Amino acid sequence: MELHGKHIVITGGAGGIGRALVERFTREGARAIVVADADLEGARAVAAEFGATARKFDAGLESDVTGLIDFATEANGPIDVYFSNAGVGGPAAGPETPDGEWDRLWRIHVMSHVWASRILVPRMTEAGGGYLVNTSSAAGLLIQPSAMAYTVTKHAAVSVAEWLSMTYHHNGIRVSCVCPQAVQTRLLDEAMGQSSGASEVVAAAGVLQPADVAEAVVEGMRAERLLILPHKDVAERMVLRATDHEAWLASVRTLVEGGAAR
Ligand SMILES: NC(=O)c1ccc[n+]([C@@H]2O[C@H](COP(=O)([O-])OP(=O)(O)OC[C@H]3O[C@@H](n4cnc5c(N)ncnc54)[C@H](O)[C@@H]3O)[C@@H](O)[C@H]2O)c1
């Protein structure tokens, strides 16, 4: 899809990757952009900079997802692109992660995309098409050694995107899932502060800037590719995971054990 002239809603747009997407989509000539975020002041600042509209929103609440879609539709007409990008790092922990955190990450990283598609698939079908995008992570295709709830919920986000794409492609609905590795944002800073496992992954992957991710997104959406992989080596490691699973697991264990030993 070409983004020129499109009405785009972006969640988690107050900073990091979301802010870079607003900037990039503005340059592409989007007709209207709604920036939704839990951080209203941040969303307002981004909206003011790029001539967009800000909306306070909690990605973990279905009523807020519904309210955001209704708000954007009333303001600008039918939504062409809904970009479900808001996300949180969650705890650097394994099964001891409290149920409340599992629930919070499940709602933000999975149900938020489901709730949006529940409303938008029928509307986009009626309109002859539309585009749903979610930001998962390389952790959703591979693994984030330090954070179990993040890894599991980001895997589910990839499945949501694949399922929607398989099922509604013939209705004119296009779906992409963005799976970056390390990107220089507040979320990454917080993850690095919490766990040495995160630093091992970052060191192995190299850190991109949010603008690099936005560039990959525009190119990936233009080609209507489901997986958008700003870090090229993620695809290589997916091949290893698929063709020699034990070797892939061993390579991740080496990273984790290297981190733990330091
Ligand atoms: N930075 C990375 O290394 C990296 C790597 C892979 C995937 N991601 C994903 O990219 C997306 C964007 O993250 P980022 O790196 O730009 O981090 P960020 O912290 O800079 O931005 C995340 C934004 O989401 C907002 N947000 C968080 N919880 C929310 C909620 N419940 N409701 C509404 N807004 C909420 C925050 O206020 C913030 O503006 C996330 O989904 C994240 O998981 C990031």
Side-chain angles (χ1 to χ4, degrees):
M1 176 186 273
E2 292 296 333
L3 297 168
H4 184 85
K6 297 297 190 294
H7 173 199
I8 304 174
V9 174
I10 302 179
T11 77
I17 294 168
R19 183 192 175 283
L21 289 169
V22 175
E23 179 175 19
R24 192 65 186 77
F25 292 165
T26 303
R27 273 203 279 133
E28 284 297 299
R31 174 172 68 79
I33 300 180
V34 176
V35 184
D37 205 290
D39 169 9
L40 181 59
E41 284 317 302
R44 279 191 175 139
V46 172
E49 195 177 349
F50 298 107
T53 308
R55 169 89 176 174
K56 186 168 173 59
F57 152 93
D58 181 350
L61 293 177
E62 183 174 11
S63 54
D64 275 24
V65 173
T66 309
L68 171 62
I69 290 170
D70 288 346
F71 168 81
T73 306
E74 257 174 50
N76 306 312
I79 295 168
D80 298 302
V81 178
Y82 187 91
F83 207 123
S84 201
N85 165 73
V88 290
E96 72 276 21
T97 300
D99 284 359
E101 280 296 283
W102 277 101
D103 184 53
R104 186 171 77 101
L105 265 66
W106 182 256
R107 287 170 160 270
I108 295 172
H109 292 162
V110 186
M111 293 312 296
S112 197
H113 315 325
V114 173
W115 293 324
S117 63
R118 190 178 283 168
I119 301 172
L120 287 170
V121 165
R123 292 191 192 175
M124 287 175 169
T125 300
E126 176 82 22
Y131 214 130
L132 301 169
V133 191
N134 80 52
T135 306
S136 174
S137 169
L141 298 166
L142 301 163
I143 206 160
Q144 169 65 36
S146 54
M148 188 182 188
Y150 187 81
T151 297
V152 172
T153 56
K154 289 295 192 179
H155 269 259
V158 175
S159 296
V160 168
E162 287 176 344
W163 197 95
L164 292 171
S165 175
M166 297 309 115
T167 311
Y168 300 117
H169 189 271
H170 71 279
N171 296 23
I173 293 174
R174 298 294 173 261
V175 183
S176 288
C177 183
V178 189
C179 295
Q181 214 148 219
V183 186
Q184 192 59 64
T185 68
R186 192 181 55 188
L187 186 146
L188 182 70
D189 289 343
E190 286 171 5
M192 297 279 281
Q194 278 195 69
S195 133
S196 60
S199 359
E200 299 313 307
V201 170
V202 166
V207 180
L208 292 184
Q209 295 303 311
D212 301 325
V213 177
E215 198 60 42
V217 164
V218 168
E219 191 262 321
M221 290 182 72
R222 185 169 289 136
E224 300 183 348
R225 267 203 312 278
L226 188 125
L227 279 185
I228 298 178
L229 305 177
H231 294 76
K232 301 301 170 216
D233 68 315
V234 171
E236 288 161 22
R237 290 198 294 122
M238 284 171 73
V239 170
L240 179 62
R241 186 178 191 256
T243 54
D244 191 344
H245 199 243
E246 291 302 322
W248 170 72
L249 280 171
S251 72
V252 182
R253 281 189 202 113
T254 305
L255 277 182
V256 175
E257 284 156 15
R262 285 198 308 144

